[in-house]
Amino acid sequence: MSRVSPGVVSGASYTALIKACHEGGYALPAINVVGTDSVNAVLEAAARNGSDVIIQVSNGGARFYAGEGLPDAHRARVLGAASMARHVHLLAKEYGIAVILHTDHADRKLIPWLDDLITMSEDEFKATGKPLFTSHMLDLSTEPLEENLATSASMLKRLAPLGMGLEIELGVTGGEEDGIGHDLEEGADNAHLYTQPEDVLKAWELLSPIGTVSIAASFGNVHGVYKPGNVQLRPEILKNSQDAVQKATQSGPKPLPLVFHGGSGSTIAEIDAAVSYGVFKMNLDTDIQFAFAHGVGSYVLEHPVAFQHQIEPGTDKPMKSLYDPRKWLRVGEKSIVERLDEAFEILGSKGRSVARKS
């Protein structure tokens, strides 16, 4: 197994990490972050579990990271994503693990956001030899396949010289993710949630010669958590896609780096099946949001007076030590770490970091 330097990976270190996941039969959790609290919790959890990790930000998360007070939403999305990236670059080495730094769903209207971030990576590459991000996601899954792939190819041609990768989506992941997608229609015929292997093959044959590409192939997965029975996962679609590419390209087994969107709420059996079919990245957002909220909410319920009064009525005791944001934010961080302990274990990445130890 190839070792890489701790910190944000790109180029050869990025492909080495994907290869390690493939050969080791495990996957990495990909966590959507919205501020330094969630970033730090993810880094802490990865280091504590001896695992590498994927940190990603959506357009809305980037907007929030920069501050809702900034009047130019596009500029805020760009600066927020860049600020998050620099925060991770600064700290990831200290935690001693390898980090894939990624942006989540961007549809057609958000291409200008990615274009500006890629320009930043081009400038960073000229100055340091490394890009700002490891990879970006372009989600044109609701468009005709030919348009999806043509635009993806154009973007990958910009990314490849920087050692960056592109994640695309084929088929539609149900549910809504930060303004991208639509709510799952209960009882409806959701055939669009299942990717066709021939589409995956077409994408792979066009894009893989250009650069590093990963594919979010939909197999009934959705964003968010729904009532049991409303989501019918068919991980065998991933196997069929792998088999189609292997046969056509005469490659080794499971040649595709696959991505599992909507991992929150999935059963261990479903996750195990997806990973066994070549998934190296599983997105976790809803579960992590709930973990943070549950931790903070429990703290508030334990100390309700501190969130209503600076001085406790009746005793005149100062409540500052309880409402200090560092106290309840830290509880939220710990709750994220505990949820990620479980994720690293289930995905099989615990104790398998490829980061070179000092």
Side-chain angles (χ1 to χ4, degrees):
M1 178 180 65
S2 299
R3 292 286 179 181
V4 306
S5 298
V8 177
V9 298
S10 60
S13 59
Y14 175 40
T15 55
L17 180 49
I18 294 177
K19 182 179 179 181
C21 293
H22 176 264
E23 293 180 347
Y26 66 92
L28 302 177
I31 316 304
N32 284 61
V33 296
V34 297
T36 55
D37 300 303
S38 47
V39 170
N40 294 346
V42 173
L43 291 172
E44 178 183 348
R48 164 166 141 165
N49 284 275
S51 173
D52 303 314
V53 74
I54 301 169
I55 294 178
Q56 60 189 26
V57 68
S58 66
N59 76 95
R63 173 80 174 89
F64 188 83
Y65 206 103
E68 295 287 347
L70 287 180
D72 186 329
H74 169 74
R75 187 68 175 156
R77 283 192 289 267
V78 173
L79 294 178
S83 179
M84 185 278 285
R86 296 200 181 281
H87 181 83
V88 175
H89 274 276
L90 184 65
L91 293 179
K93 292 180 182 178
E94 297 298 317
Y95 281 90
I97 43 91
V99 177
I100 292 174
L101 200 52
H102 184 67
T103 57
D104 205 7
H105 293 267
D107 60 8
R108 179 74 61 179
K109 68 179 179 298
L110 287 168
I111 288 179
W113 175 51
L114 295 187
D115 282 340
D116 284 359
L117 290 177
I118 295 170
T119 297
M120 284 186 168
S121 276
E122 289 169 340
D123 293 341
E124 187 75 10
F125 190 84
K126 289 177 184 176
T128 68
K130 294 182 178 181
L132 193 58
F133 281 85
T134 307
S135 55
H136 293 300
M137 182 189 183
L138 182 60
D139 180 1
L140 303 180
S141 56
T142 61
E143 300 185 10
L145 180 64
E146 290 71 20
E147 294 179 21
N148 182 346
L149 297 185
T151 305
S152 297
S154 178
M155 183 167 290
L156 187 55
K157 288 174 182 177
R158 285 189 72 188
L159 297 172
L162 308 176
M164 296 176 65
L166 181 69
E167 177 185 327
I168 67 167
E169 183 161 336
L170 299 175
V172 178
T173 299
E176 183 268 342
E177 176 86 6
D178 236 340
I180 310 297
H182 51 80
D183 287 335
L184 184 68
E185 299 174 29
E186 296 189 19
D189 178 9
N190 290 303
H192 58 283
L193 301 181
Y194 303 100
T195 300
Q196 300 304 309
E198 55 267 28
D199 291 346
V200 176
L201 175 58
K202 186 177 293 186
W204 184 251
E205 289 180 329
L206 174 66
L207 299 176
S208 63
I210 300 173
T212 302
V213 61
S214 57
I215 298 176
S218 300
F219 53 101
N221 38 323
V222 301
H223 297 121
V225 176
Y226 289 82
K227 184 173 65 176
N230 283 348
V231 178
Q232 301 295 328
L233 293 184
R234 294 172 53 194
E236 67 274 9
I237 286 176
L238 302 179
K239 180 182 185 302
N240 294 339
S241 296
Q242 294 282 21
D243 291 346
V245 172
Q246 180 181 357
K247 181 179 179 180
T249 62
Q250 298 297 305
S251 61
K254 295 183 287 190
L256 298 168
L258 294 174
V259 177
F260 184 168
H261 279 230
S264 294
S266 300
T267 67
I268 294 177
E270 291 167 340
I271 293 171
D272 286 346
V275 174
S276 75
Y277 296 144
V279 163
F280 85 98
K281 171 180 183 276
M282 187 179 81
N283 288 12
L284 284 173
D285 183 22
T286 306
D287 279 1
I288 302 304
Q289 288 181 350
F290 180 76
F292 184 81
H294 181 70
V296 172
S298 297
Y299 181 89
V300 172
L301 292 174
E302 289 173 10
H303 310 284
V305 177
F307 289 84
Q308 301 175 63
H309 305 279
Q310 286 186 292
I311 305 295
E312 185 175 12
T315 67
D316 293 334
K317 178 183 177 181
M319 307 296 286
K320 187 178 186 301
S321 64
L322 292 176
Y323 64 72
D324 182 338
R326 290 170 295 182
K327 291 291 182 65
W328 50 269
L329 285 173
R330 179 57 182 156
V331 172
E333 289 177 353
K334 287 182 176 179
S335 189
I336 289 176
V337 171
E338 290 171 2
R339 175 61 183 85
L340 286 176
D341 286 344
E342 179 184 342
F344 290 120
E345 185 75 40
I346 292 172
L347 291 172
S349 65
K350 183 179 176 69
R352 305 177 82 167
S353 174
V354 302
R356 191 179 296 113
K357 310 304 178 186
S358 58

